[in-house]
Amino acid sequence: MNLPSKLVEAAVEQFASLPGIGKRTALRLVLHLLKQSKENVNAFSTTFIEMRNNIKYCKSCYNISDNDICEICSDHKRDHSIICVVEDVRDVMAIENTMQYRGVYHVLGGIISPMNGIGPNELNIESLITKAASGKVNEMIFALSATMEGDTTNFYIFKRIKDYNIKTSVIARGVAVGDDLEYTDEITLGRSILNRVPYENSFVR
Amino acid sequence: MYLKSLSLYNFKNFEEANIALAPGIVCFTGLNGEGKTNLLDAIHYLSFCKSFLVSSDVLNIRFNESYFAVQGTFIAHDKEDVIYCAVKYGERKVFKKNQKEYSKLADHIGNYPLVIISPLDSNLITDGSDERRRFLDSIISQYNREYLEKLIQYNKVLAQRNALLKQFAENGNFNYSVLEIWDVQLGPLGDYIFNERKDFLEKFIPVFYRYFDIISNKKEEVKIHYISQLNQELKMEDLLSSAINKDRSAQYTSVGIHKDDLDFLIKNFALKKHASQGQQKSFLIALKLAQFEFLKQKKGEAPLLLLDDIFDKLDDTRIARLIDLVSKENFGQVFITDTQKERIEHILHTAHSEALIYSISGGKILKE
Ligand SMILES: [Zn+2]
């Protein structure tokens, strides 16, 4: 693509670096911004800078948050003895949308996959084990993706917490095999949280 | 089940061709390079949705054209099914049954079973053990879905375990509790695959011996042994834990069913080194005929049998025995290619076999 301005070209490059955006779309967005007032574009870009610089990850559950402790973790009406273990923040949003869950979360930040360079140390697993050891947790619900890597991660955590006498379950996968939580519709997801099955029954061993 | 007609458009060296077929033996004769094997490949497309010769679909499009299409009419269970396959540059492959497009090609594969015997089979003898495992796996997967799923699962877990061993070596650390989560999954998968392979071969190998005896007139003694590090006492998980130091230094998983092999022997020596080309060819044909017989039993009907250029390197008495065998009723529809029209006519005459013979020349198909 031949562009008349290095400034425009740099802006196009930035948009095109976003997932799902090609060069052509990037140019359309840049030309759109050029038509806006300077104030509008300043506000637009400041929003991202503010967001990136000031966002926090909840010190307890690793959900994204504006404060040190997220709204879910600081809500005293929620049951802090039940922890739902998820892969990333999109899963928290998907489950929250069902309005069927009143416990808290723990965001791992991924699942174990040596091929992608992700081992237990790259994930928020140790802090989960610490919570399990504290004696304040009665139940853990595993809501990781129904893949071999998801199962492996479930199994690893299960092995680490098995001496703490915690009830464990996985979200019933009968309805959503192969789908990520994010894509499962809310009714299905809500139902599977209510019908979670004890962990031992769900794993091959 | 048989193929009643075949039509080609811009497929390899054929611009347009329509041929009527019949149950029983069908021969395509012609010099090398005239396109007789391409006809077999077109039939292969109708059964497996792909070529047996080239890996990329567009390579089958006739020079300077933009697409090819292959259509065949099968008669199966007294019903006519029209199967259509088209490949166009830059577009998705279209595959239809009775005008209706398949959503997944996997839904088609296996419905019109086919076994092909071709010069490419020699890879089974000359190449590494993965060729022989693929041969095993492809037969078992055709009648056992669970096997295929567990095999895929095994390979995924294995790849993760190998990546982990590599990381341990690169970072100079080792943590058994992290390795163990892969081992406990490989264990039951490996044991299952071993047992299925063993059960299959116990039934398959005797069928192979029977066919080899027919072709060679019981003159030679051959053997197939299943080679595996696993056995009834030694389970996959035990193997993994006993090999742990070796795996750590090798940086990959050195034990398991991914190391299985088949030993091919003639008079207790390696077939690859001690058998003549004719003996090797007889061995491969018997292997494929055993595959045919096995699929026929599992599917309840005879697959199509394609014999590509198999008379080369085979002496006349073996050829005669083979034709005599496949012209019997229970072999269904058999397609044969040969460079020498007189030879195949003579053999068929001697075996008292009726056959449909087409001669192929310069992209044209003529009925004899
Ligand atoms: Zn939180």
Side-chain angles (χ1 to χ4, degrees):
Chain A
M1 206 178 288
N2 248 334
L3 295 171
S5 150
K6 288 265 176 287
L7 292 168
V8 169
E9 193 177 321
V12 169
E13 296 269 312
Q14 290 298 336
F15 271 114
S17 72
L18 298 173
I21 307 245
K23 276 263 162 74
R24 200 171 285 273
T25 310
L27 179 63
R28 197 158 56 86
L29 296 171
V30 169
L31 294 178
H32 174 80
L33 285 182
L34 271 181
K35 282 190 215 141
Q36 308 294 306
S37 70
K38 285 183 186 170
E39 291 72 32
N40 276 354
V41 178
N42 271 331
F44 181 83
S45 43
T46 317
T47 311
F48 296 112
I49 297 166
E50 291 274 308
M51 185 264 294
R52 187 62 191 87
N53 285 344
N54 298 322
I55 197 76
K56 291 187 171 129
Y57 288 92
C58 172
K59 290 212 159 88
S60 174
C61 73
Y62 304 93
N63 190 12
I64 43 175
S65 168
D66 291 341
N67 304 303
D68 284 348
I69 299 294
C70 75
E71 282 179 19
I72 296 170
C73 288
S74 45
D75 183 347
H76 295 293
K77 292 200 286 291
R78 297 189 74 125
D79 187 344
H80 288 245
S81 73
I82 306 178
I83 297 179
C84 181
V85 181
V86 297
E87 226 168 295
D88 67 31
V89 291
R90 288 172 300 176
D91 301 326
V92 175
M93 294 177 217
I95 295 174
E96 281 301 285
N97 281 337
T98 68
M99 314 222 279
Q100 297 288 341
Y101 180 63
R102 298 300 299 155
V104 294
Y105 297 90
H106 188 92
V107 182
L108 292 179
I111 44 178
I112 297 175
S113 173
M115 288 174 83
N116 298 320
I118 303 172
N121 291 338
E122 277 69 43
L123 303 170
N124 302 318
I125 289 182
E126 283 312 311
S127 50
L128 182 66
I129 309 301
T130 311
K131 282 181 197 169
S134 73
K136 290 177 189 155
V137 181
N138 294 327
E139 181 176 2
M140 275 191 198
I141 304 164
F142 295 103
L144 305 182
S145 57
T147 59
M148 187 263 294
E149 288 80 6
D151 286 343
T152 303
T153 311
N154 285 343
F155 175 67
Y156 178 76
I157 298 170
F158 177 70
K159 211 165 53 98
R160 298 281 309 272
I161 63 167
K162 67 177 189 307
D163 295 333
Y164 299 125
N165 197 22
I166 290 169
K167 199 172 133 198
T168 47
S169 58
V170 291
I171 282 188
R173 268 102 169 251
V175 279
V177 173
D179 293 326
D180 291 332
L181 271 186
E182 206 194 337
Y183 300 113
T184 314
D185 69 79
E186 285 166 18
I187 296 168
T188 315
L189 188 54
R191 212 177 282 142
S192 51
I193 287 171
L194 296 176
N195 299 328
R196 52 193 188 260
V197 295
Y199 177 70
E200 287 86 340
N201 300 345
S202 76
F203 199 64
V204 278
R205 284 163 68 95
Chain B
M1 176 196 69
Y2 71 97
L3 190 58
K4 189 184 152 197
S5 64
L6 178 69
S7 305
L8 316 174
Y9 305 93
N10 298 329
F11 185 75
K12 298 195 181 178
N13 64 327
F14 294 98
E15 184 180 358
E16 184 178 351
N18 298 289
I19 48 175
L21 302 165
I25 295 184
V26 179
C27 296
F28 300 130
T29 68
L31 297 176
N32 285 329
E34 298 289 342
K36 55 192 189 318
T37 302
N38 295 345
L39 289 175
L40 297 190
D41 207 17
I43 298 170
H44 194 272
Y45 255 102
L46 297 177
S47 181
F48 287 102
C49 313
K50 63 172 189 184
S51 163
F52 79 96
L53 296 167
V54 296
S55 54
S56 165
D57 287 320
V58 293
L59 292 177
N60 295 309
I61 298 174
R62 190 167 178 260
F63 184 65
N64 269 346
E65 299 289 345
S66 61
Y67 82 106
F68 82 72
V70 174
Q71 180 171 300
T73 304
F74 284 96
I75 306 290
H77 311 292
D78 295 325
K79 217 171 116 283
E80 273 199 15
D81 287 329
V82 180
I83 307 298
Y84 173 87
C85 173
V87 169
K88 202 170 178 179
Y89 276 107
E91 281 180 31
R92 202 167 45 86
K93 170 158 56 185
V94 174
F95 211 92
K96 291 179 181 172
K97 175 178 173 177
N98 299 329
Q99 316 276 334
K100 194 172 166 291
E101 188 165 356
Y102 282 96
S103 53
K104 292 202 304 280
L105 294 181
D107 293 341
H108 175 77
I109 296 166
N111 293 343
Y112 304 90
L114 175 155
V115 171
I116 181 161
I117 307 184
S118 89
L120 295 175
D121 296 334
S122 60
N123 292 348
L124 280 171
I125 295 175
T126 55
D127 286 12
S129 60
D130 43 338
E131 283 292 330
R132 291 177 287 281
R133 281 193 302 278
R134 195 173 307 139
F135 175 72
L136 270 183
D137 294 339
S138 73
I139 305 175
I140 304 174
S141 303
Q142 283 194 54
Y143 65 85
N144 187 345
R145 278 260 157 198
E146 189 187 355
Y147 179 85
L148 180 61
E149 278 158 23
K150 293 207 165 163
L151 188 67
I152 292 169
Q153 189 83 352
Y154 180 93
N155 287 326
K156 278 191 193 165
V157 178
L158 184 69
Q160 292 283 16
R161 189 183 193 269
N162 288 340
L164 183 62
L165 286 166
K166 220 176 170 69
Q167 268 165 36
F168 283 150
E170 278 163 8
N171 304 336
N173 62 5
F174 181 74
N175 182 344
Y176 182 68
S177 72
V178 179
L179 190 68
E180 191 193 8
I181 56 179
W182 303 105
D183 291 7
V184 295
Q185 297 183 73
L186 275 185
L189 292 169
D191 292 338
Y192 172 87
I193 294 164
F194 167 75
N195 282 317
E196 287 301 310
R197 285 180 179 170
K198 194 167 137 306
D199 285 354
F200 162 72
L201 286 165
E202 271 165 17
K203 293 180 214 115
F204 179 82
I205 292 173
V207 182
F208 161 78
Y209 290 152
R210 187 159 59 79
Y211 281 121
F212 188 83
D213 283 348
I214 293 173
I215 299 165
S216 67
N217 205 16
K218 296 190 180 177
K219 283 208 186 95
E220 287 129 6
E221 191 204 337
V222 290
K223 283 253 149 45
I224 294 180
H225 291 309
Y226 176 32
I227 308 292
S228 181
Q229 296 160 328
L230 278 74
N231 59 49
Q232 288 319 25
E233 280 78 46
L234 197 53
K235 301 276 181 245
M236 181 80 195
E237 250 190 285
D238 306 329
L239 263 182
L240 287 168
S241 41
S242 68
I244 197 135
N245 288 326
K246 195 178 169 203
D247 287 2
R248 279 181 63 187
S249 62
Q251 299 179 34
Y252 67 86
T253 307
S254 64
V255 291
I257 53 96
H258 58 289
K259 295 278 170 185
D260 282 2
D261 200 354
L262 295 174
D263 237 355
F264 295 160
L265 302 171
I266 185 157
K267 297 188 185 98
N268 287 322
F269 290 105
L271 187 80
K272 189 174 167 179
K273 287 189 185 138
H274 291 87
S276 70
Q277 286 193 314
Q279 287 167 329
Q280 293 195 7
K281 194 128 192 178
S282 307
F283 193 100
L284 292 168
I285 292 169
L287 261 186
K288 288 304 199 70
L289 292 177
Q291 175 186 3
F292 176 95
E293 179 66 34
F294 212 85
L295 282 180
K296 190 177 128 190
Q297 279 173 22
K298 290 287 177 189
K299 301 265 175 192
E301 64 180 342
L304 300 186
L305 182 62
L306 274 48
L307 308 179
D308 184 29
D309 227 354
I310 59 161
F311 300 139
D312 190 35
K313 299 190 187 92
L314 217 53
D315 64 53
D316 288 352
T317 53
R318 283 177 200 241
I319 294 174
R321 269 193 289 272
L322 179 62
I323 294 300
D324 186 55
L325 179 68
V326 301
S327 49
K328 286 176 190 148
E329 218 170 295
N330 57 4
F331 264 90
Q333 196 177 26
V334 183
F335 293 86
I336 302 173
T337 67
D338 195 10
T339 45
Q340 300 172 41
K341 196 174 76 183
E342 294 72 27
R343 170 167 66 185
I344 190 76
E345 278 174 346
H346 176 72
I347 295 166
L348 289 166
H349 183 76
T350 321
H352 307 288
S353 302
E354 290 285 315
L356 198 57
I357 301 181
Y358 284 101
S359 67
I360 321 296
S361 170
K364 294 271 174 286
I365 305 171
L366 292 171
K367 193 171 174 202
E368 291 295 313

